[in-house]
Amino acid sequence: MNLTSLKEGDIVYISKITGKGSYRKRIMEMGFSPGTQVAVVRKAPLNDPVEYEVRGSRVALRNVDALGIEVEFIASKPDIFTDNRKLTLENRKASVPNANKSIVVALMGNPNSGKTTLYNALTGERDRVANYSGVTIDLSRKSFRYLEYNITIVDLSGIYSLNAVNESDCSIRKFLRDGQPDIIVNVVDAGNIERNLYLTTDLIDMDTRMVIALNMMDEFEQKNQILDIHKLGVLLGFPVVPIIAKDNQGIDALMQKIVAVYEDRDVEIRHIHINYGYPVESSIHKIQSEIKKHCSHELLRLYSSRFLSIKLIEKDIDTQHFLSTFSQSKEIIAEADIQIHILEKEFGIDSESVITSKKQGFIVGALRETLQKHPMLSGEERGKFADSILTHRFWGIPIFMFFLWLMFFVTFQLGKYPMDLIQSGVHVFSDFVAGMMSEGMLKDLLIDGVLSGVGGVLIFLPNILILYFFIALMEGSGYMSRAVFILDKSMHKIGLHGKSFIPLVMGFGCNVPAIMSTRILENKNERMITMLINPFISCNARLPVYLLFTAAFFPTSSATVLFLVYLLGVVLAILTAILLRKTVFKATEMPFVMELPPYRMPSVSSMSIYMWDKCKEYLKKIAGVILIASIIFWSLSYFPQHSSRVIKSQQEELMQKKSHRYRYCSKRKCYYN
C-alpha cells in the first residue's frame, strides 16, 4: 500500500521508500523517511495533489511522487490533528506487529565471485556452486527473519557490467527496474578486485543503496597484499565489509551493515559521481537535461537520469529500447547522438571506449590509494606452472581425454565393490521378506516386482556418486574453465563458442539444467545449436543401462567400452552441430572472452552437497518412475494367471506319475521310456 491509496483522515507510518537517485533524496529531505508517521489532511479538487502532515509540517505531494512511498495503516479517525494522535515507536510496534520490517536484498557480482556461496551462507540453502562462470542462470529467492526484519535475498546471475550484452544482462536490468530491491550487495572477489569493481562503477552511476561484500579475503591475505578497506569505502561512497562466505566469516557484520544502510544511519554512505572529465561530463549534463524535460517522474523514480545518460553514450540497446516507449524519446535519442558524435571526434575513439577508459581510470586511482601489492607468492607460481602443463598447446587435449577416461575407469572399477555389497544386501533382504510371507500375489509383487526392479537399479548408485565426485572436482578446482580454454579451437571448428563446452559437459549429469545453462551464450544461433545437440550427451539416467550392457557383453573391458559409448554420443553431437551450422543456423560468431579463475581446492562441504543433491534426484527417480515401471512389467508377466497355473499344475502331476511308475517297475527290473 502506498500514499495514493489513502483517504482523508488516515494516519499511517512509512514502511519503505522505493526509487533511486534524486527522487529518493528529495522525498526524504521533505521528511518522508521510513518509520515516520504521516497524516492525510486533504485532497485537491481533482484528488491531485494531496496535502500531508509529516514531522509537524504540511507538505503537498503529487500522486505520481507518492507512488514510491509505501505505508502501513495505523488508524482512521477524523480528529487527526489532536495531540494524542502521535504514537511512539514502541506503541507503533505493539499496534502493528510487522511494522517497517521488509527488506529486499539483491546479490550482484561478477561470475565466480562467490555470490551463490554467500547466498547459501545467508539463507541456509544449498544451491549449486562451482569455480567457473555460468553456474547461476535463474535467480534464487529466499526469505528469513533477522532481528525484527523480514529479509528477502535474491541471488542474480553473474555479470561483468550493466550493459545489455545478452539476455541475462537484460533480465537483471529488468529486475532492478521492476523488482526495486532496497539494498544491493555487490559481491567483489578480493583477489580480482580491479576487474570486479567495474560493475561497482555502474552501480554507482545507478545511484542505488549498496553494500560491498569483499569476498575471499583468505585468498587475498595469502597473496601478501594489504588493502585499506575503510578508505576504499570512503572513495566509493559505500561501506565495504570483508567476508569469507565459504567459512561463514563476516556474515553477521554484513547483515548489520545491510540493516544500517536500509535505515539510513550508516555514516560511510555518501553519494558520489564518478568524474569523467570535462567533455564527457558536459555531454552527460546535456542529455540529462533532455531526459528531465521530456520524461515523467515515474521514469526518474525507476532510473537515475545520470545513469540513463551514461548508458546512452555507451550506445546501450536496452536503454534505447526502454526510452523509446515514451512519447518524447526522439528528442532524447537525437541529443544523445549529437553528444556521441562530439565525444568520438574529441577523443578519436568510440564513445563506449571513452566511458570504459574513464571508469578504469577511476578504479586504478582508487586502488592506488588503498591497495599495496607485494611480489608474487609460491601459490600463484604453482598455478602458473599447472597451467603451463594442463593448458599446453600439444598436451592439453590428451591430458583432458585421459582425465575423462580415468573418470569412467574409476567409476566402473572402484564402484563395483559397493555395487556387490548393495546387490548382496538386496538379495538378503529379499530372502528375508520371502521367508516372512506366505505364497501369493502380494509376495510375488514384493519379491519379483518391487525388490527385483528397484534393487536392480539401486545397485548403480555408487557409480553415479563417483561420477559426480569427479565432475564436482573439476568444477570446484577450476579445471573446467581450462577445459573450455583448450577445447575452444575444436569447438570453433564445428561452429560453436568455447563456452558451449560447459553446457555439453553438464549434459553428462542431466540434460535439463544443461540446456538451461546455454543462456550463458550471447549468440542466439550458437545457443540453439548447443541446445539441439545436448541430448546426444549421455546423462546419468542412461548410465545404469550402459553399465548393465557393458558388464554383460564386455566383462573384461567394461570401462573402455563405456568410455567409447560416451565418446560416440560426443561424435554424433559434433556431426550434428556441423550440419546445423552449415544449413539452419548461419550467423556471425561472438568473440571468445572467458575468465580463467585461480586454482582452488574445492571444499568438502560443497562437493558433498553437490553429490548428495544428485543422489537425491536419482533416488527420487527410483521411488517414482522406476518403481511404477517395475510394477507394470511385473503385472504384464504375472497376468493372466489362470491358464498358466492350469498348465503348470498338469505338468507337475504328469511328472509325479512318471516318477512313481519308474520306481514301481524298477523293482522288477523293467524299464519304460
Side-chain angles (χ1 to χ4, degrees), residues 562-627:
L562 180 64
F563 173 71
L564 293 176
V565 169
Y566 274 81
L567 189 61
L568 176 62
V570 174
V571 172
L572 291 175
I574 292 173
L575 296 177
T576 306
I578 295 174
L579 179 63
L580 292 174
R581 189 67 178 182
K582 291 184 177 181
T583 56
V584 182
F585 301 103
K586 296 180 180 179
T588 56
E589 299 173 355
M590 294 295 292
F592 177 76
V593 180
M594 183 177 180
E595 176 189 3
L596 293 179
Y599 289 100
R600 296 187 177 102
M601 181 59 66
S603 64
V604 177
S605 60
S606 63
M607 294 182 63
S608 301
I609 290 172
Y610 180 63
M611 294 167 61
W612 172 242
D613 287 341
K614 298 302 178 183
C615 175
K616 286 194 300 182
E617 292 177 9
Y618 186 68
L619 292 176
K620 286 179 181 178
K621 292 180 180 179
I622 292 177
V625 178
I626 295 177
L627 176 60

Side-chain angles (χ1 to χ4, degrees), residues 352-372:
E352 302 164 81
S353 300
V354 172
I355 297 295
T356 300
S357 62
K358 295 294 184 180
K359 287 185 175 182
Q360 290 174 344
F362 170 79
I363 295 170
V364 171
L367 294 180
R368 187 175 297 159
E369 297 186 34
T370 57
L371 180 64
Q372 297 180 19

Side-chain angles (χ1 to χ4, degrees), residues 35-50:
T36 302
Q37 181 178 301
V38 178
V40 183
V41 181
R42 66 178 60 85
K43 297 185 178 182
L46 297 179
N47 291 327
D48 193 15
V50 180

Side-chain angles (χ1 to χ4, degrees), residues 246-460:
K246 66 178 182 179
D247 297 332
N248 288 341
Q249 295 185 22
I251 302 301
D252 191 58
L254 177 63
M255 289 303 305
Q256 292 177 13
K257 189 63 69 174
I258 289 172
V259 172
V261 171
Y262 176 76
E263 294 177 347
D264 295 305
R265 56 179 176 82
D266 188 89
V267 295
E268 297 181 55
I269 287 284
R270 66 185 188 95
H271 178 63
I272 67 168
H273 285 321
I274 297 174
N275 191 345
Y276 293 100
Y278 167 70
V280 180
E281 287 293 338
S282 176
S283 297
I284 292 174
H285 178 71
K286 291 177 181 177
I287 300 174
Q288 265 188 289
S289 300
E290 290 294 321
I291 291 175
K292 292 178 179 178
K293 183 191 303 182
H294 298 294
C295 291
S296 63
H297 292 286
E298 179 66 19
L299 170 67
L300 299 179
R301 185 174 66 86
L302 297 175
Y303 275 131
S304 164
S305 60
R306 181 178 176 85
F307 174 78
L308 293 174
S309 303
I310 294 171
K311 288 304 170 188
L312 286 175
I313 293 175
E314 291 183 296
K315 303 176 185 177
D316 183 67
I317 304 234
D318 185 69
T319 302
Q320 295 175 2
H321 176 72
F322 175 71
L323 290 175
S324 65
T325 59
F326 297 90
S327 58
Q328 303 297 325
S329 61
K330 292 182 179 179
E331 288 81 355
I332 301 173
I333 301 297
E335 181 63 33
D337 291 338
I338 294 173
Q339 298 305 320
I340 288 172
H341 177 72
I342 293 173
L343 291 177
E344 291 182 346
K345 185 177 179 180
E346 174 75 22
F347 290 95
I349 56 176
D350 61 272
S351 58
E352 302 164 81
S353 300
V354 172
I355 297 295
T356 300
S357 62
K358 295 294 184 180
K359 287 185 175 182
Q360 290 174 344
F362 170 79
I363 295 170
V364 171
L367 294 180
R368 187 175 297 159
E369 297 186 34
T370 57
L371 180 64
Q372 297 180 19
K373 292 185 177 182
H374 294 275
M376 187 180 298
L377 298 180
S378 58
E380 295 176 85
E381 292 288 356
R382 287 194 297 268
K384 288 193 173 184
F385 175 74
D387 273 338
S388 66
I389 298 175
L390 297 178
T391 61
H392 192 272
R393 58 180 304 184
F394 298 120
W395 300 109
I397 293 180
I399 290 174
F400 174 69
M401 298 302 292
F402 170 75
F403 280 157
L404 286 183
W405 176 85
L406 180 65
M407 177 175 67
F408 293 120
F409 178 80
V410 175
T411 297
F412 200 95
Q413 296 298 321
L414 185 62
K416 67 180 181 180
Y417 299 106
M419 282 179 64
D420 294 339
L421 291 176
I422 294 177
Q423 188 173 19
S424 300
V426 171
H427 288 321
V428 170
F429 185 70
S430 298
D431 294 339
F432 172 76
V433 173
M436 296 292 293
M437 299 181 66
S438 58
E439 296 294 332
M441 185 180 69
L442 180 60
K443 179 180 178 180
D444 291 340
L445 172 63
L446 291 177
I447 302 301
D448 300 330
V450 176
L451 293 179
S452 177
V454 173
V457 180
L458 184 64
I459 62 175
F460 298 109

Side-chain angles (χ1 to χ4, degrees), residues 445 448-450 453 624-639:
L445 172 63
D448 300 330
V450 176
V625 178
I626 295 177
L627 176 60
I628 295 174
S630 300
I631 294 174
I632 292 174
F633 283 118
W634 172 84
S635 302
L636 293 174
S637 64
Y638 189 81
F639 298 104

